[in-house]
Amino acid sequence: MTEAMSATAIDSAQNLAGKSIFLEMGARLGVIELLMQGEPFDAEQVVCISGAKRHFVDAYLAALCKLGLATQGARPGSYTGTEALPVAVNNCGYLLWALQSCAPLIQHPVQFANDLPGSIDTYVRNGEHVARTSKWMGATDFYPHAEKEILKANPKKIIDFGSGTCGLLIRLLEQLPQATGIGIDLSAGACQKAREIIEGKGLSHRIEVIHAPVESLIDDPALLTDVDVIHAGFVFHDLNPTQSQVLPRLLTAIKTVSPQAKLVIADAIPDDEPWENNAYSLAFTFLHTHFMDRKFPSADGWRRLLEQAGFVDVTLSKPGLSGSRLIVGH
């Protein structure tokens, strides 16, 4: 590595670390979600949401402006996000998921090596933090790809598995004025926040939010009726497809109840090569295998799962996320 290349790498690492610190603070202050909505907001709103004193909020927002992630609006005390913000959120999401969301795991490798089931029960990750940083990783690396694929179908009814705060559904319905959506998520906090955002955007009559595990649809698939598109963003690998029949049963339920549905999945494959350029994929696979008792299907394995459930024209493409695939079945 040349001296110039080494300096560039160091600079990138330092900047990524610095931005990650500010974005993590911003998430806890409620700022990042406001910025990502793309509409102007006042510093006083942040004070009301977070309870932090105004001088601190002003200093924090000034720092984001220096970083080029926010800009002051026309109205004094107002701010909006910049075009650089989603890229920073996406890139910092990797670091924050790896080192903060997964901290309870990577801090106890010996315990997991010697007693995997017991360690899984003992060293538990913060589910809301995992969900948020997972969402951040896809801000530019896979959500736009999935969104484009969904829009191709011009759907009238969409269901999003693992919908979080329903950001994807909101963006889709803003572009599809005749469509309705259903978001289903395991996090009660995310569902409540989604309802608040949806109400604020005047979309409560078009988006229904369900607090439930996705696998509950196997026994009660009524929500799948007449759905045109089903999206699952990094949800299906947690159903442990290689060691149980949960995912095959869910795919069969989807095909039975909504035979016309288009299935759009963003998910992982194991150890994406070349490894020297996909260190994140290698680490992602290792953590899920040795710390979470999960095993990913290969690219061919994903194709077989969908085809065995009755889906046809199954395609796999590679979005920006290391080790990920966008899997589409009809």
Side-chain angles (χ1 to χ4, degrees):
M1 180 180 289
T2 66
E3 184 176 344
M5 290 174 63
S6 177
T8 299
I10 292 170
D11 180 65
S12 297
Q14 291 174 353
N15 277 308
L16 186 64
K19 289 177 181 177
S20 295
I21 290 170
F22 279 105
L23 291 181
E24 180 63 24
M25 282 193 291
R28 295 168 186 271
L29 289 166
V31 173
I32 306 306
E33 196 158 313
L34 288 171
L35 288 168
M36 291 291 282
Q37 290 178 30
E39 299 173 359
F41 65 90
D42 294 324
E44 195 59 36
Q45 285 178 254
V46 181
V47 172
C48 294
I49 292 170
S50 66
K53 291 185 177 181
R54 177 63 185 263
H55 73 89
F56 181 89
V57 171
D58 286 339
Y60 174 79
L61 291 169
L64 287 191
C65 290
K66 289 178 181 177
L67 290 171
L69 303 180
T71 185
Q72 289 188 323
R75 190 172 66 255
S78 67
Y79 297 84
T80 56
T82 65
E83 292 183 358
L85 178 67
V87 176
V89 166
N90 185 93
N91 295 343
C92 293
Y94 290 96
L95 187 61
L96 292 167
W97 182 88
L99 297 181
Q100 190 163 352
S101 291
C102 294
L105 313 184
I106 60 179
Q107 289 170 355
H108 300 94
V110 175
Q111 290 86 340
F112 277 89
N114 295 341
D115 180 13
L116 179 58
S119 296
I120 288 173
D121 293 336
T122 302
Y123 305 108
V124 180
R125 299 187 297 167
N126 182 318
E128 290 192 16
H129 196 275
V130 171
R132 169 164 60 79
T133 54
S134 298
K135 175 185 174 184
W136 281 15
M137 287 188 281
T140 60
D141 273 353
F142 76 80
Y143 277 120
H145 300 273
E147 187 175 325
K148 182 179 180 181
E149 192 63 47
I150 292 168
L151 289 172
K152 284 182 188 177
N154 192 29
K156 295 294 186 291
K157 187 176 180 181
I158 308 163
I159 187 167
D160 187 14
F161 294 166
S163 53
T165 55
C166 287
L168 177 64
L169 276 178
I170 290 169
R171 290 195 302 275
L172 288 167
L173 265 60
E174 287 176 339
Q175 299 172 79
L176 299 165
Q178 305 304 315
T180 61
I182 300 171
I184 179 169
D185 200 278
L186 187 59
S187 168
C191 288
Q192 180 56 37
K193 186 63 177 178
R195 294 185 185 102
E196 293 171 5
I197 295 171
I198 290 165
E199 183 177 357
K201 289 184 171 290
L203 292 171
S204 297
H205 63 297
R206 296 176 58 199
I207 301 179
E208 182 181 6
V209 180
I210 305 295
H211 172 221
V214 170
E215 54 266 37
S216 66
L217 297 175
I218 295 172
D219 297 321
D220 184 10
L223 289 175
L224 298 170
T225 304
D226 299 325
V227 169
D228 299 308
V229 170
I230 296 163
H231 172 258
F234 281 82
V235 172
F236 281 170
H237 70 264
D238 275 330
L239 302 183
N240 217 8
T242 61
Q243 296 181 19
S244 74
Q245 291 300 304
V246 174
L247 183 53
R249 289 172 61 206
L250 178 58
L251 291 171
T252 300
I254 291 169
K255 193 69 178 66
T256 301
V257 178
S258 291
Q260 80 289 347
K262 178 179 184 178
L263 185 58
V264 179
I265 304 168
D267 221 303
I269 62 167
D271 296 351
D272 202 8
E273 296 187 62
W275 298 328
E276 60 269 24
N277 294 328
N278 285 292
Y280 193 83
S281 172
L282 195 62
F284 194 80
T285 303
F286 193 90
L287 283 171
H288 279 79
T289 302
H290 298 287
F291 292 77
M292 306 179 205
D293 194 26
R294 296 290 187 268
K295 288 182 171 60
F296 304 144
S298 64
D300 287 340
W302 279 111
R303 183 177 285 106
R304 284 195 299 272
L305 278 167
L306 267 65
E307 289 177 346
Q308 287 169 2
F311 289 88
V312 298
D313 298 327
V314 178
T315 61
L316 285 87
S317 58
K318 186 174 182 178
L321 182 61
S322 174
S324 70
R325 294 294 184 271
L326 188 67
I327 308 152
V328 179
H330 300 269

